[in-house]
Amino acid sequence: MLKVYASPVSTCSRKVLCALHEKGADYHFVHVDMKKGEHKAPEHLARQPFGLVPSIDHDGFALYESRAIIRYLDAALPGASLTPSDPKARAMMEQWMSVESSYFSPHALKAILNIFYTPKGKEPDPAVTAAGLAGLVTALDTLEKALAGKEYLAGSFSLADICYAPYLQYLADLGIASGVTDRPNVAAWWGRLSARPSWKKAIAQAV
Ligand SMILES: N[C@@H](CCC(=O)N[C@@H](CS)C(=O)NCC(=O)O)C(=O)O
């Protein structure tokens, strides 16, 4: 039995859900309700000592950290591989996963969370959103160049593409995606990612 302890609104949870749908896996979704603070409760801290989602339990094997989880699921579950077998293509996948965690998502999250956590009735600080979006420019320019003539970052669809989808989704949902829509290769890539059934299911996950 594969249990996924996650929140449907969480970017890192969505990476795991997308990978699971790509693999066609059966799993049991356990909603860790962040609004109720369930991610900081002792029960969840025993699964994820930093008080964050997601984590998994696969037949007694417990694991946290979304990128470690998707690598594990890809290796352990049947279904189409999300990791290229060619060493160079695999290295490209790893490079782009590292770019995502180091230079893309920290800036994207600065802008996204600034809007997400602004209480209703108040305006998000535009300077914080702008700083987050400005921080994304180098990564977006680099992606734009890399995606010229390519459908996906490592050639074929891989874990690397999954890692960017949650942030691109929130940028679009929050109306701050001009950095994506203004770059034709990035925009076309996001079009392909967001059209995948696995991604549609990941964002439609019932609570
Ligand atoms: N490095 C972790 C990050 C997990 C993370 O930041 N999760 C967020 C949701 S996307 C969370 O639990 N936030 C709750 C909090 O910050 O208290 C991973 O990849 O799993």
Side-chain angles (χ1 to χ4, degrees), residues 117-140:
Y117 285 126
T118 297
K120 276 199 179 121
K122 290 202 170 181
E123 281 301 308
D125 182 345
V128 176
T129 306
L133 297 179
L136 274 180
V137 167
T138 304
L140 285 169

Side-chain angles (χ1 to χ4, degrees), residues 167-180:
Y167 311 101
L168 294 167
Q169 182 70 52
Y170 271 116
L171 293 175
D173 290 350
L174 297 172
I176 50 172
S178 60
V180 173

Side-chain angles (χ1 to χ4, degrees), residues 7 9-16 34 39-40 44 48 50-55 64-69 109 113 117 167:
S7 159
V9 297
S10 126
T11 50
C12 291
S13 299
R14 287 176 168 188
K15 286 174 204 158
V16 171
M34 295 198 290
H39 54 314
K40 306 296 181 196
H44 187 68
Q48 214 290 8
F50 302 94
L52 302 168
V53 289
S55 68
Y64 55 85
E65 286 300 305
S66 58
R67 297 166 192 86
I69 293 172
L109 278 174
L113 296 179
Y117 285 126
Y167 311 101

Side-chain angles (χ1 to χ4, degrees), residues 4-207:
V4 179
Y5 299 89
S7 159
V9 297
S10 126
T11 50
C12 291
S13 299
R14 287 176 168 188
K15 286 174 204 158
V16 171
L17 295 173
C18 181
L20 285 168
H21 291 302
E22 286 286 340
K23 302 297 279 186
D26 279 334
Y27 64 94
H28 176 63
F29 183 84
V30 183
H31 182 204
V32 179
D33 193 338
M34 295 198 290
K35 274 196 198 141
K36 292 186 185 156
E38 287 175 0
H39 54 314
K40 306 296 181 196
E43 196 186 349
H44 187 68
L45 289 172
R47 294 186 287 256
Q48 214 290 8
F50 302 94
L52 302 168
V53 289
S55 68
I56 63 164
D57 184 312
H58 189 202
D59 294 332
F61 174 63
L63 187 66
Y64 55 85
E65 286 300 305
S66 58
R67 297 166 192 86
I69 293 172
I70 61 174
R71 285 182 175 99
Y72 168 74
L73 293 175
D74 188 33
L77 299 179
S81 177
L82 303 170
T83 302
S85 52
D86 171 68
K88 288 184 179 133
R90 188 183 183 126
M92 290 310 290
M93 180 191 90
E94 291 295 342
Q95 174 191 281
W96 288 114
M97 287 176 81
S98 191
V99 168
E100 177 272 306
S101 64
S102 301
Y103 317 120
F104 188 84
S105 51
H107 301 296
L109 278 174
K110 184 174 180 154
I112 291 164
L113 296 179
N114 179 48
I115 299 174
F116 205 77
Y117 285 126
T118 297
K120 276 199 179 121
K122 290 202 170 181
E123 281 301 308
D125 182 345
V128 176
T129 306
L133 297 179
L136 274 180
V137 167
T138 304
L140 285 169
D141 283 344
T142 308
L143 285 163
E144 178 67 8
K145 220 169 154 182
L147 284 163
K150 242 196 235 171
E151 289 213 334
Y152 294 108
L153 291 169
S156 58
F157 181 78
S158 75
L159 298 175
D161 304 291
I162 292 178
C163 284
Y164 288 82
Y167 311 101
L168 294 167
Q169 182 70 52
Y170 271 116
L171 293 175
D173 290 350
L174 297 172
I176 50 172
S178 60
V180 173
T181 53
D182 288 353
R183 289 173 174 83
N185 299 330
V186 176
W189 170 58
W190 170 232
R192 286 188 285 276
L193 293 182
S194 55
R196 291 182 81 87
S198 62
W199 183 248
K200 290 185 179 167
K201 285 184 200 158
I203 58 174
Q205 180 76 43
V207 174

